[in-house]
Amino acid sequence: MLPALLPLLLLLSEVLQERPAPITAGLVAEKLTALAESRPFDVRKAAAAWFVKHANEPSVAKALKPLEDVAAFDQSPEVRGYAVYALGRIARANKVACPQVVFDALFDREPDPEYPEVRHVALFAGAALHEFKPPPPALLPTIARLLRSPDPHCRVDGVVLVNNFTRDAASRKVLDQQPAVARLILKATSDPELEVRRVAAYTQFQLTKDVAEFFGNALRHQDDVANLPALPMTAMEPEKSKRAGYQIGAIGVTTMMEDRVQESATGTRDAFLKLLVETDARTRRLTADHLGRIAGPSDEAPPHAALRGAAFDVKRLQANTRAIVADAAIRSRLKSLAKTDPDEKVCNAAKAALELIGMTTDK
């Protein structure tokens, strides 16, 4: 994933640096000339990146129409990507409508010649649109198209865009007026593609704040990743990178669950009780398994604790975890599942959880 983000990160670092101003109309014209298709790739790429860096300059606003042509027609996905990013930043700086080519760029999937897994144009289009708060009106229908796309990369991008806008009050107000978007995110939590499901689980939680729903999605995602078939010895690097991404994503799901436990023992206990009572057999089994796992030694920090920020309170997490597994309602429900659940796997999972907690079904 790092190669995919590196061009964007490098460009952002340049954009944020101090720079002299103003930019003259003559210099803008010179950079537009450098974008001509007859110019070498490196020259076009540098010129397009220049427009990103100087998007806030008043004189650059006149470059919108020529940049639209570059974003639509340049033969290089890298040049198109920079042009798309520049267009979004220029439109936002000048408070004008974001050009349609920026929205269309979200569907541009031409791979980078050096890094086939990188889709520069869609990457930079997403970066440009993330900067709009609230989202441009034309973006919501585009997000719906992304979420309905047969391409899983498009569906991931659509969910990521929604997730981005759930964290801003003005953007959230716009989203709340579009129930169709919320329905598509809910549908995405059961998407055929693992990565879509993972990001959708986060986004659905941002929309609903339903801890039980998130825990159910999270436990099923962890189980899906744990049960992926082993990669063949002949697996190539893109496939290995994708598998590593799944593993990292599963850790991210775990940490978000821990954050909820850290915040509230009562709220997360109620979420676990709901999952043990009202859901399908698989989720009941996975919830019982999870309660057994977290009943382990309470003096041991999670293996990924060192990667967490200062807000991660291991001792509070441990105390809340002990309170959850010691809760009478949790133990009573596990005991009931161990004796009466119609699914044998659920019964066995509940028995195992009780043993790990320190109980048996006879107590």
Side-chain angles (χ1 to χ4, degrees), residues 118-129:
V118 178
R119 305 295 188 268
H120 279 286
V121 183
L123 178 70
F124 282 105
L129 291 166

Side-chain angles (χ1 to χ4, degrees), residues 50-62:
W50 183 90
F51 280 103
V52 176
K53 184 175 181 179
H54 299 284
N56 291 331
E57 298 292 341
S59 56
V60 171
K62 297 179 180 179

Side-chain angles (χ1 to χ4, degrees), residues 8-341:
L8 179 56
L9 294 174
L10 291 174
L11 187 60
L12 284 173
S13 69
E14 290 184 10
V15 168
L16 295 174
Q17 290 175 2
E18 294 284 336
R19 64 180 185 273
I23 303 297
T24 66
L27 183 55
V28 173
E30 177 185 323
K31 294 298 180 180
L32 286 174
T33 300
L35 285 169
E37 195 166 354
S38 59
R39 295 299 182 93
F41 161 72
D42 289 344
V43 173
R44 301 197 319 276
K45 178 181 173 182
W50 183 90
F51 280 103
V52 176
K53 184 175 181 179
H54 299 284
N56 291 331
E57 298 292 341
S59 56
V60 171
K62 297 179 180 179
L64 273 171
K65 184 60 179 74
L67 281 171
E68 286 189 49
D69 293 338
V70 175
F73 301 115
D74 193 277
Q75 60 188 329
S76 165
E78 286 188 78
V79 176
R80 294 200 305 277
Y82 284 134
V84 161
Y85 194 16
L87 282 168
R89 300 193 82 242
I90 294 169
R92 187 172 61 86
N94 289 275
K95 296 181 172 58
V96 298
C98 187
Q100 181 62 40
V101 69
V102 179
F103 304 114
D104 295 340
L106 291 165
F107 299 89
D108 188 325
R109 296 291 154 179
E110 183 177 346
D112 178 89
E114 186 175 358
Y115 302 106
E117 72 276 13
V118 178
R119 305 295 188 268
H120 279 286
V121 183
L123 178 70
F124 282 105
L129 291 166
H130 280 171
E131 295 182 9
F132 283 86
K133 302 291 190 306
L139 180 56
L140 291 176
T142 304
I143 287 174
R145 287 174 56 208
L146 287 167
L147 293 172
R148 293 189 179 103
S149 171
D151 184 341
H153 296 95
C154 286
R155 299 199 300 277
V156 168
D157 287 351
V159 178
V160 169
L161 280 165
V162 176
N163 196 333
N164 173 68
F165 293 120
T166 61
R167 302 172 189 277
D168 169 72
S171 302
R172 180 59 191 265
K173 186 176 180 179
V174 173
L175 285 178
D176 288 344
Q177 295 170 352
Q178 298 291 333
V181 172
R183 290 195 296 270
L184 287 170
I185 293 298
L186 178 60
K187 181 180 179 181
T189 61
S190 57
D191 193 272
E193 168 55 42
L194 265 175
E195 186 64 6
V196 178
R197 296 202 297 275
R198 181 184 70 83
V199 184
Y202 293 151
T203 307
Q204 180 70 1
F205 178 68
Q206 291 297 328
L207 291 171
T208 67
K209 299 301 181 184
D210 188 324
V211 177
E213 181 185 45
F214 172 70
F215 278 11
N217 287 330
L219 292 171
R220 288 186 290 272
H221 180 78
Q222 291 171 332
D223 187 53
D224 288 339
V225 173
N227 288 289
L228 286 170
L231 285 176
M233 295 293 292
T234 55
M236 303 300 287
E237 189 56 40
E239 195 173 358
K240 292 179 181 178
S241 296
K242 185 177 182 180
R243 180 60 59 90
Y246 287 153
Q247 301 293 345
I248 294 170
I251 294 173
V253 166
T254 299
T255 60
M256 191 167 172
M257 291 183 71
E258 290 173 348
D259 287 342
R260 306 286 79 73
V261 174
Q262 176 186 305
E263 287 173 4
S264 170
T266 302
T268 48
R269 177 209 62 192
D270 292 346
F272 285 127
L273 281 171
K274 185 175 181 180
L275 292 172
L276 290 170
V277 173
E278 298 181 1
T279 55
D280 61 284
R282 181 193 180 197
T283 307
R284 294 198 305 276
R285 172 177 59 81
L286 293 175
T287 305
D289 285 340
H290 181 76
L291 290 167
R293 283 197 303 274
I294 65 175
S298 59
D299 57 344
E300 295 182 6
H304 52 268
L307 304 176
R308 306 298 302 278
F312 181 58
D313 188 338
V314 174
K315 292 189 180 299
R316 182 174 176 82
L317 171 66
Q318 293 166 341
N320 286 352
T321 299
R322 286 194 297 270
I324 290 168
V325 297
D327 184 82
I330 289 285
R331 294 186 175 202
S332 175
R333 183 56 190 163
L334 286 171
K335 188 174 181 180
S336 175
L337 291 176
K339 287 185 173 181
T340 64
D341 196 275

